[in-house]
Amino acid sequence: MAVSLSVGTVVFLLVAVSVISAWSGQQGQRVSVEDVQPEQIHIAYSSTPTEVVVTWSTRNATSVSRVEYGAMSLSLKSTGNATKFTDGGLEKRTQYIHRVVLGELKPGKRYMYHCGSPVEGWSDVFWFVAMHDGTNWSPRFAVYGDMGTTNAQSLTRLQSEAEKGHFDAILHVGDFAYDFFNKNGEVGDAFMRQIQPIAAYVPYMVCVGNHEVAYNFSHYVNRFTMPSFALSRNLFYSWNIGPVHIISLNTEVYYWLDSLGTSRLFTQYNWLKSDLKQAVADRAKRPWIITIAHRPMYCSNKNVDCSENESLVRKGIPEIGAPGLENILYKSGVDLSIWAHQHSYERLWPVYDRTVFNGSRSHPYTDPGAPVHIVTGSAGCKEGRKKFGPPGVWSAFRSNDYGYTRMTVHNNTHLYMEQVSDDQDGVVIDRMWLIKHTHGPEAWRKSTRNEF
């Protein structure tokens, strides 16, 4: 008996056969549908405020890397590229990292999107809000470091708040998965799937930590796409959002000289000098300068580097003529430095060269005489919490509750931060208003000195 098929049915069957019989591109090796499905989807801002970069992974190559998106429907298309990434472990597991730039976005507009290809298939549909225009608005951030695949205590609350639109960006201040390379990269894959309910909706901005150093930072470099990716491969970069200039730095260049050499340290430092010079020149329109970097200059944890000895990040390495970061940040008038690494939370008084420079005794964070430091590394990982030692006089508040930080830059003069405790079911355990009527090194005035 003859069977008559409509044209639409024939097309559907052809596409279905194409998907089921997807080819990997590796000598014609046949692969399953799961091997070409998009996963580990996350977005990031680029150097251009009207752009967002969508990054995802597939186990095998696909015919095209594409994102369909739009405000009301998936009517717009953008095509990018994919790179093959091979883990450095014994199994040499491979995957394909896809990157697609969505450009000419309308500021503050909500877009829906999915990623993949019309042949091998698409992801679920997600959404994001394009960056608002100009500097006269109040960006909101979730800030944390040291979150692993196991014991990720803050993950559930962060997922909920991200999907409800509470944040304009996430700042993950180093140390991911514990570790990306473990089990031949399978732990890294699990972590990227784990953060997808956050990172597919909110730009996930990162800096590198000590747990990313394996195989020359290869997992960190390949899995993310930060601004100026072609220049620095995510290891250092800067970007603007509202009235804020944010600088992401690599502190590992001070600690792995035998394997990394010294050139990366000097390259980053020279770039930082140039970037800060431009940020200072732009301060009339964008007054706040914030740095994020993993290993802190100051901490009161039981730690050899930032409490028991002088921090290499702070003081540098005189034996090779390598400068630390504290002087250049101070002389450029950096307002706020955010760190992690210690699995705890600590708010410092305004401090420079181990000396406290509060604005006044009654209002220490109003027009302070030095940068403010925050350590927020308590999002949760398999290593647990970090114990404290005796506090320095610069230590204003500390807690080893699991949790994360919320930050809102309200305007040119007022910045608000609060620490959320996951141990206490979301209770805010610390708050700070940083108020600056003047930005830049001219703002520093030495009052309420406390030395140790």
Side-chain angles (χ1 to χ4, degrees), residues 230-410:
L231 170 68
S232 62
R233 308 290 285 178
N234 305 325
L235 294 173
F236 57 86
Y237 63 93
S238 66
W239 56 294
N240 299 319
I241 179 170
V244 192
H245 181 71
I246 298 178
I247 302 172
S248 175
L249 296 169
N250 178 8
T251 54
E252 298 315 300
V253 295
Y254 289 92
Y255 295 90
W256 301 89
L257 300 183
D258 289 344
S259 57
L260 300 179
T262 61
S263 63
R264 294 189 188 198
L265 191 161
F266 290 101
T267 297
Q268 175 177 262
Y269 189 83
N270 290 331
W271 170 87
L272 177 61
K273 285 197 299 185
S274 176
D275 188 80
L276 283 169
K277 182 178 179 180
Q278 185 61 53
V280 170
D282 291 342
R283 229 158 185 167
K285 65 177 179 181
R286 187 169 288 107
W288 294 96
I289 300 178
I290 296 174
T291 63
I292 62 172
H294 186 63
R295 297 194 192 223
M297 296 184 191
Y298 300 93
C299 74
S300 63
N301 304 86
K302 294 181 178 180
N303 180 272
V304 172
D305 184 53
C306 60
S307 60
E308 298 175 21
N309 296 328
E310 290 287 6
S311 164
L312 298 181
V313 174
R314 188 172 80 85
K315 298 296 288 184
I317 309 173
E319 296 82 358
I320 61 171
L325 298 179
E326 185 171 42
N327 281 342
I328 190 173
L329 300 186
Y330 178 80
K331 291 176 180 178
S332 300
V334 168
D335 302 289
L336 176 67
S337 289
I338 301 173
W339 317 87
H341 191 55
Q342 305 304 320
H343 300 166
S344 56
Y345 168 79
E346 188 163 18
R347 170 173 52 84
L348 277 63
W349 300 119
V351 62
Y352 170 68
D353 196 22
R354 302 173 73 87
T355 303
V356 171
F357 295 113
N358 288 342
S360 67
R361 293 191 181 277
S362 57
H363 297 92
Y365 297 103
T366 298
D367 297 322
V372 174
H373 294 247
I374 299 289
V375 181
T376 176
S378 59
C381 67
K382 68 180 182 181
E383 294 183 356
R385 311 168 197 260
K386 188 70 174 180
K387 293 181 179 180
F388 288 110
V393 296
W394 37 257
S395 181
F397 178 88
R398 59 187 191 169
S399 170
N400 62 7
D401 281 10
Y402 289 116
Y404 59 96
T405 307
R406 299 188 189 116
M407 177 174 72
T408 301
V409 183
H410 283 273

